[in-house]
Amino acid sequence: MDCPKKVVLFILSCIAILFIHKNHVSLNVTASNVGLNYGLLGNNLPAPSVVISLYKSIGVTKIRIFDPNTDVLNALRGHRDIGVTVGVKDQDLAALAASEEAVKGWFATNIEPYLADVNITVITVGNEVIPGPIGPQVLPVMQSLTNLVKSKGLPISISTVVSTSGLGQSYPPSAGMFTPQAREQLIPVLKFLSQTNTPILVNMYPYFAYASNPINISLDYTIFNTEAVVVQDGPLGYSNIFDAIFDAFVWAMEKEGVKDLSIVVSETGWPSAGNGELTTPDIAAKYNGNFVKHIKSGKGTPKRPNSSMDGYLFATFNENQKPTGTEQNFGLYDPIDMKPIYKLF
Ligand SMILES: *[C@@H]1O[C@H](CO)[C@@H](O)[C@H](O)[C@H]1NC(C)=O
Ligand SMILES: *[C@@H]1O[C@H](CO)[C@@H](O)[C@H](O)[C@H]1NC(C)=O
Ligand SMILES: *[C@@H]1O[C@H](CO)[C@@H](O)[C@H](O)[C@H]1NC(C)=O
Ligand SMILES: *[C@@H]1O[C@H](CO)[C@@H](O)[C@H](O)[C@H]1NC(C)=O
């Protein structure tokens, strides 16, 4: 049968959009500082245009994609109200670090064709590669890209995404300090970002701290479910572990002489399944919902009070091509029917 693929796709998109309009009501992330990660490691994900409609319907104005995926970037054309953070693929770093010409080519191929109608605001160089074997490739690529966007007069920030694994110590927050291996690769990057006045992006997962020690870390402290001070750190009182992790990173930076660098929370989230009673839709809903409330409030953290921060939930969909277990269950939505896995609010 020669049924044109496009017609089928169109009909499927319409069905999916109907689903969105039926189901989106429970989710409202409307706030300029809340974003969503859009991961693509699934073989059952909706078409990008359908996903963009979903974002519009729930008020998402910021998204992060992990590589310059052409289908996604094309679907974003014309939606300039959505600010997009685009990642350079880790496997491209070696070639880009070796040559400024390669960086120009990468930019001309992956970014420039979209700039007229896609609101690309940030390019991230490497995802959680510092500290690690390819960590040293990050800074040269950041420098080349920074020079390039500057020479073109483009308002695009160049940064990198790190995890909190570089923290050798994080408890109490004021003891926060980077490991020697992390220092070697991270400090030059932090100093460079200070010079360009560009935030560092940090993935922060209270879930993993809790899952590694559910006996001694309370769930309420982990999911923003208490106002009580649980950890007193000198004059600073902590009622949630997210703030404690964030501030441990701030303290660690300060110890390296990096005092005012902003942090964007590039990923946080909670799996709704995969690890027994620690990972239920209900707990995931509470963590993510409370996280959104927390950053919408503009309260900041004890060490950086009243400072607004951007935060991106991980992730839009459950992704079935990630490792089995919790990793496949961080999504807010089921990719097959686009239904929310739980109500966020
Ligand atoms: C979403 O939340 C914002 C503010 O938090 C509010 O102004 C808006 O009315 C809400 N939208 C819906 C559809 O509930
Ligand atoms: C592009 O995205 C940024 C960040 O979300 C936002 O501040 C800006 O207003 C957007 N631009 C347009 C034209 O909407
Ligand atoms: C929990 O804390 C107690 C008392 O401080 C300590 O003895 C125990 O080793 C801790 N358990 C874990 C799993 O860290
Ligand atoms: C933060 O804001 C609150 C409420 O507006 C205010 O009482 C407090 O003094 C502020 N703290 C700092 C350190 O600016």
Side-chain angles (χ1 to χ4, degrees), residues 61-62 80-83 119 121:
T61 58
K62 287 192 165 121
R80 289 194 57 88
D81 50 333
I82 299 181
N119 185 6
T121 54

Side-chain angles (χ1 to χ4, degrees), residues 24-25 27-31 57-58 296:
H24 81 265
V25 280
L27 233 155
N28 176 0
V29 297
T30 308
S57 73
I58 59 176
K296 266 182 163 181

Side-chain angles (χ1 to χ4, degrees), residues 42-342:
N43 61 12
N44 55 1
L45 300 176
S49 59
V50 175
V51 180
I52 305 311
S53 301
L54 168 70
Y55 289 145
K56 306 278 262 198
S57 73
I58 59 176
V60 171
T61 58
K62 287 192 165 121
I63 66 169
R64 170 172 171 236
I65 55 178
F66 292 80
D67 62 80
N69 181 283
T70 47
D71 293 336
V72 173
L73 288 169
N74 277 320
L76 282 162
R77 286 188 193 277
H79 301 290
R80 289 194 57 88
D81 50 333
I82 299 181
V84 186
T85 295
V86 180
V88 177
K89 280 189 200 160
D90 296 345
Q91 60 264 40
D92 290 344
L93 292 180
L96 298 177
S99 138
E100 204 159 334
E101 284 310 306
V103 170
K104 285 183 183 157
W106 180 91
F107 191 87
T109 306
N110 294 292
I111 301 296
E112 215 140 34
Y114 305 100
L115 288 179
D117 12 60
V118 181
N119 185 6
I120 296 173
T121 54
V122 183
I123 297 174
T124 58
V125 179
N127 182 32
E128 300 193 350
V129 300
I130 291 176
I134 63 170
Q137 296 163 1
V138 169
L139 185 58
V141 181
M142 284 174 58
Q143 285 166 327
S144 299
L145 279 172
T146 301
N147 291 340
L148 189 61
V149 297
K150 212 166 149 195
S151 71
K152 292 173 183 286
L154 295 167
I156 300 177
S157 304
I158 309 297
S159 189
T160 184
V161 179
V162 298
S163 72
T164 51
S165 72
L167 287 172
Q169 282 195 55
S170 59
Y171 181 85
S174 61
M177 204 194 297
F178 297 121
T179 62
Q181 304 92 296
R183 289 189 71 231
E184 191 180 326
Q185 295 176 8
L186 191 53
I187 291 161
V189 167
L190 294 172
K191 301 229 147 130
F192 180 71
L193 289 171
S194 291
Q195 281 163 21
T196 61
N197 198 19
T198 307
I200 176 96
L201 282 71
V202 186
N203 296 339
M204 296 183 196
Y205 284 98
Y207 164 73
F208 290 113
Y210 176 68
S212 72
N213 195 354
I215 309 287
N216 287 0
I217 300 175
S218 93
L219 184 61
D220 282 347
Y221 179 63
T222 314
I223 64 173
F224 307 88
N225 207 31
T226 175
E227 296 287 318
V229 169
V230 175
V231 169
Q232 187 68 44
D233 182 13
L236 306 179
Y238 289 85
S239 59
N240 66 77
I241 199 172
F242 169 82
D243 283 351
I245 295 170
F246 187 102
D247 281 359
F249 203 94
V250 173
W251 278 104
M253 290 199 299
E254 274 196 15
K255 285 172 194 156
E256 308 299 344
V258 177
K259 287 214 167 18
D260 298 313
L261 190 61
S262 294
I263 297 173
V264 166
V265 182
S266 35
E267 290 176 27
T268 194
W270 198 285
S272 61
N275 189 12
E277 61 186 16
L278 271 52
T279 52
T280 64
D282 185 50
I283 300 176
K286 286 202 175 103
Y287 176 80
N288 283 326
N290 286 337
F291 172 76
V292 170
K293 273 189 213 149
H294 186 58
I295 66 163
K296 266 182 163 181
S297 76
K299 270 196 299 210
T301 66
K303 186 152 172 64
R304 288 192 170 169
N306 302 346
S307 67
S308 82
M309 65 173 91
D310 285 355
Y312 291 72
L313 289 176
F314 186 90
T316 307
F317 297 109
N318 280 341
E319 294 170 69
N320 66 3
Q321 290 171 326
K322 299 201 78 173
T324 53
T326 55
E327 288 290 325
Q328 292 193 355
N329 290 289
F330 274 88
L332 301 178
Y333 289 91
D334 184 329
I336 295 170
D337 59 11
M338 308 259 309
K339 284 195 177 147
I341 290 168
Y342 41 81

